[in-house]
Structure formats: C-alpha cells, structure tokens
Amino acid sequence: VPTSRRERPAKPALPRDGIVAAAVAVLRAEGLDKVTMRRLAQELDTGAASLYVYVANTDELHAAVLDELLGGVAAPREGSWDERVDTLLGSYVGVLFAHPGLARSALSARPSGEHYLALIETLLGLLAEGGVPAARAAWGVDLLLQYATATAAEHATRARNPTAGDDWDALTRAIRSADPAARPHLHAVAGAIQSGTPQARTTWGIAALLRGIAGTPVPEERP
Amino acid sequence: VPTSRRERPAKPALPRDGIVAAAVAVLRAEGLDKVTMRRLAQELDTGAASLYVYVANTDELHAAVLDELLGGVAAPREGSWDERVDTLLGSYVGVLFAHPGLARSALSARPSGEHYLALIETLLGLLAEGGVPAARAAWGVDLLLQYATATAAEHATRARNPTAGDDWDALTRAIRSADPAARPHLHAVAGAIQSGTPQARTTWGIAALLRGIAGTPVPEERP
DNA sequence: ACCTGAACACCGTTCAAGT
DNA sequence: ACCTGAACACCGTTCAAGT
C-alpha cells in the first residue's frame, strides 16, 4: 500500500529542492532552531541519513535557505548609487535580522544560489555606476557582504537571547571603568565608542567601506 | 573524607577563573569542540549546572577563553602606524585561526576582558598616531575588529571541515558559469572576484578600512 | 544508486532538592 | 548562597544492511 504514509501537500519532484522548501517552511513556522537534519527528515517522512545524499551538512542547508529568502530582496530604484548600496545592503541585513542565527551560518557557508548571485550582480552594477574600478569592486563586494553578514550575526544573537545583552553591557562596563592612566585612548573615547543607533553606525560603516573600496588600489594595479 | 575525590593539579581559588583556565587547557589539548559545559564540569569534578553560577552560557565562556588567548598578542613596535595596524590585526586573526570556531562565537559574544581592552587601546593609539579623528577612530576600531573576526570565522570553518571547501567551490563554479547576458558585471569580474591570496586580500581589506575610517565623518561631526 | 534504521557519541539548559 | 543529580528535549553524522 504505497499511499499509506502520512499525506502532505505537494511532495516535490526534486529531493534537493524539496528539502530546501521544507526547510524554509519550518524556518518560517518555528525558527532556525528547528531547521535541523533530524527535524527535516521527520517532516519529509524519512530518516536524517537520507538527506546527506543531497546536502553536505547543516551549514550548507542553511546557506540554501538563505539564498531562497534572498528572493525577496529587490534592487532599489531610487536615490544615488551609494544610497542604493545602503538600501540594498539594508534589505539584505533585514532578511538576516528576521531569522536570527542564519547570519552566523552564512559566514561559514556562503550561499551560491541564483538570488545571491543576483545580489552580487546588483552590487557590482552600483559600484560601476559609482565609478569604482572593476578590480576594486570585485574585492569590494566581498567586503560589503561580509560586513553586512557579520553585522546581522552580531545583532541577531543579541536580539534573540535576552541574556546576550549582558555581554554588550559587560564590554560597556569594562570600557567605562578602564583605568585612565593605563588606557588613556580608551578612556578618552569611552562615551563615543558605543554611541549612535545601530542604523547610524551601519550607514557610516557602509559609507566608510565604499570610500575605502573606491580609493584603495588592489595589488594588481600597482606596477 | 574530603580528599577522596580525584586529585587534580592546583585547584584554583576563584571558580570563574578556574573554569576559564580549565577551558583553555581543554581547548589547547583537544580543540574547541570539547570546550562544552558538560565536559568542563567533568574536568572540574562537578555537574554542568554548577557552572551556570559563574558563566551565563557557552558563548560567554568562549569569549572568556578568547580573551585569555589574546594575552599572547603583543603591540608591534616596528613599521609605520598603518603597517602596525596590519600586523596587530594579523596577530589577532592568527589566534583565531589557530582555534577554529572561536571566531564564530566571538561575533556573538564579544570578549570584555583585560586583553581585549588592551587590543582596543593599542588600536586607538595607532589610529591617533595616524591622525584619525577620535570620533572616527572610536567607531573604526569596531569595524576593524569585526572585519578581523569575520575573516577568521570564514577561513577557520573552511580550514577545519574538509567539505566546507565545497561551498567555496560551489560559489566559484556558480560565478564562472553565470549567464553573461543576465549577469554582465559578474561575468566581467569572474576571474578577479576570487583572485589573490587570503593574506593579500586581508591586507587590502584593512587598508581599505583604514582609508574609509579616516576619511568618513561620523554623524556628530556634521553641523 | 539510493534509502533506511539504528547506533555512536554527544549537546545546552533548567529545576527541585539538598547543604 | 551555592551546589548537585537528574531530567528534558534534543543534536550531527556514520554505517551496515537493504532495495
């Protein structure tokens, strides 16, 4: 009796796509914590071992999920080229913020799907529009995406775990109470070092990155 | 009979310090994978629950371990200020490279111990020496350390897990086989986008970061 | 070639009960 | 105030055996 197994809506033809689709569904419904090999196997009426034919490990699975979510990130149409970079990366970070923990995986296993490629393409286009030499832009996109991903990874953990804010506070306390004689520079900027909203800091960070990328020759350029 | 328990060399007086010391020892002997609450409890002849009085969670424990390892990072004495920044961050990344996985934790829970403060102080001093305005330097150290940490997190995972290189290859393959009509910019820089040694890229990244930090006014500076 | 159950070797964190 | 055993609720990954 082949139809005796539990019925599910639309069992997909391609296992890899089916696994990723199930993973996205579980992510949306219950969060990244539940996007595990075992849980997904359960969802697909199989054993966890079966998934390893299509997915190398958990990080790779998460990368595929992220790529899927990136489908919701559209290229901005308004503003100057650098404003659009800021908006685009803001959207990217937004996706990561909405699903805490995914950013952490993304640092280890980068997505390599269509949506991630589209993001890189858009970024390269904006940098070209801004007159950034292609060789610098090529290395620059890496820097920009790494920055956006790392920012999300930091912020996401703090947002999810209520006690993780303590680490932040611990650093703040440590900086504030630093010995002015032993750490003069730290003491001098104690107020400034953690000032500003996350948004303001991220916008500044992207601006600094763009300036640096545009103005720093890559080794190949030098004679 | 109070001495009936298994003997260990030098049981430390302060539990928190004792936990961190044991964690460093286990890290050195067996790697970060074994630096778990349960394993540490075993090492200290107690139950895992007891550790939670002194350490909030596993990430915080890892952050404390990293701070300890940072004691081996000395301020460079030779070269120009920006060369010394490169050397200093290189040492920091080196510590993280030697213990894969620690960088990942560090992104979520930043260290806040003496050695991390010393690193920030040295960095601030170098930026001041380079004529970077204090307000930009204050935000800049964050950018520099985040970059160094994220770089280590990426590279470390690839180095540890033999199949993680596949993700890299997967992205490389995807970029190389990108449709030239749909992704013209990507196609144009396909060769350049992943060229260069990690060292060359990191040095370029730091140079770009420094240029951006030095040249980008923070919001407070604007009237 | 693919799929599976079962096993291996573990986790983090909480909590009631003790001292 | 601190410490503990035990419990809760899980993990990732491998592998021999099947189909």
Side-chain angles (χ1 to χ4, degrees):
Chain A
V1 272
T3 43
S4 72
R5 41 178 65 190
R6 176 158 57 98
E7 286 183 67
R8 273 162 298 98
K11 178 161 188 175
L14 291 177
R16 227 261 179 182
D17 292 352
I19 293 167
V20 175
V24 171
V26 171
L27 176 76
R28 290 229 158 88
E30 300 175 66
L32 189 69
D33 290 353
K34 308 287 178 182
V35 182
T36 67
M37 294 303 221
R38 290 177 105 108
R39 175 59 198 276
L40 249 30
Q42 192 187 319
E43 208 78 14
L44 296 164
D45 276 337
T46 183
S50 304
L51 305 183
Y52 283 85
V53 180
Y54 306 100
V55 175
N57 53 47
T58 307
D59 274 349
E60 199 201 280
L61 174 67
H62 286 177
V65 167
L66 174 56
D67 195 84
E68 208 61 41
L69 296 184
L70 255 25
V73 173
R77 299 237 155 250
E78 272 165 39
S80 61
W81 73 275
D82 49 338
E83 283 169 349
R84 274 176 288 153
V85 169
D86 190 61
T87 304
L88 182 63
L89 290 177
S91 300
Y92 173 69
V93 170
V95 168
L96 260 14
F97 268 46
H99 302 281
L102 212 50
R104 210 165 162 167
S105 295
L107 276 173
S108 306
R110 298 214 175 192
S112 57
E114 281 304 305
H115 298 306
Y116 194 69
L117 291 189
L119 179 58
I120 296 176
E121 173 70 17
T122 305
L123 231 26
L124 286 171
L126 290 172
L127 292 176
E129 196 182 326
V132 178
R136 302 180 196 182
W139 281 15
V141 286
D142 213 66
L143 214 52
L144 287 166
L145 286 169
Q146 191 202 49
Y147 173 65
T149 310
T151 298
E154 284 192 330
H155 198 90
T157 316
R158 260 191 292 282
R160 187 173 199 66
N161 186 346
T163 60
D166 294 349
D167 299 324
W168 186 250
D169 292 345
L171 184 54
T172 304
R173 265 199 315 278
I175 288 174
R176 294 231 172 97
S177 62
D179 177 12
R183 316 230 186 274
H185 295 105
L186 191 60
H187 182 75
V189 299
I193 206 163
Q194 286 178 351
S195 67
T197 64
Q199 283 80 359
R201 291 175 74 104
T202 304
T203 292
W204 178 82
I206 291 170
L209 245 30
L210 287 178
R211 188 183 305 258
I213 290 164
T216 309
V218 300
E220 284 75 25
E221 292 182 56
R222 298 199 192 89
Chain B
V1 273
T3 43
S4 71
R5 40 177 63 189
R6 177 157 55 100
E7 285 183 71
R8 274 163 295 98
K11 177 162 191 176
L14 290 177
R16 226 261 180 182
D17 292 351
I19 293 166
V20 175
V24 171
V26 171
L27 176 76
R28 290 229 158 88
E30 299 175 66
L32 190 70
D33 289 353
K34 308 288 179 183
V35 182
T36 66
M37 295 303 222
R38 289 177 107 108
R39 174 61 198 275
L40 249 30
Q42 193 187 317
E43 208 78 14
L44 296 164
D45 276 337
T46 182
S50 303
L51 305 183
Y52 284 85
V53 180
Y54 306 100
V55 174
N57 51 50
T58 306
D59 274 350
E60 200 201 280
L61 174 67
H62 287 177
V65 168
L66 174 55
D67 196 83
E68 208 61 40
L69 297 183
L70 255 24
V73 172
R77 297 236 155 251
E78 271 165 41
S80 60
W81 73 275
D82 48 338
E83 284 170 348
R84 275 176 287 153
V85 169
D86 190 62
T87 304
L88 182 62
L89 291 177
S91 301
Y92 173 69
V93 170
V95 168
L96 260 14
F97 268 46
H99 302 281
L102 212 51
R104 211 165 163 166
S105 295
L107 276 173
S108 305
R110 299 212 176 193
S112 59
E114 280 304 304
H115 298 306
Y116 194 70
L117 291 189
L119 179 58
I120 295 175
E121 174 69 18
T122 306
L123 231 26
L124 285 171
L126 290 171
L127 292 176
E129 195 181 324
V132 178
R136 301 180 195 180
W139 281 15
V141 285
D142 212 65
L143 215 52
L144 287 167
L145 286 169
Q146 191 203 49
Y147 172 65
T149 310
T151 298
E154 284 191 332
H155 197 90
T157 316
R158 262 192 289 283
R160 186 173 200 68
N161 185 345
T163 60
D166 294 349
D167 298 324
W168 187 251
D169 292 344
L171 184 54
T172 303
R173 266 199 315 278
I175 288 173
R176 294 233 171 98
S177 63
D179 176 13
R183 316 228 187 275
H185 294 106
L186 191 60
H187 182 75
V189 299
I193 206 162
Q194 286 179 351
S195 68
T197 63
Q199 284 79 359
R201 291 176 74 103
T202 305
T203 292
W204 179 81
I206 291 169
L209 244 30
L210 287 179
R211 189 184 303 259
I213 290 164
T216 309
V218 300
E220 285 76 25
E221 291 183 57
R222 298 197 193 93

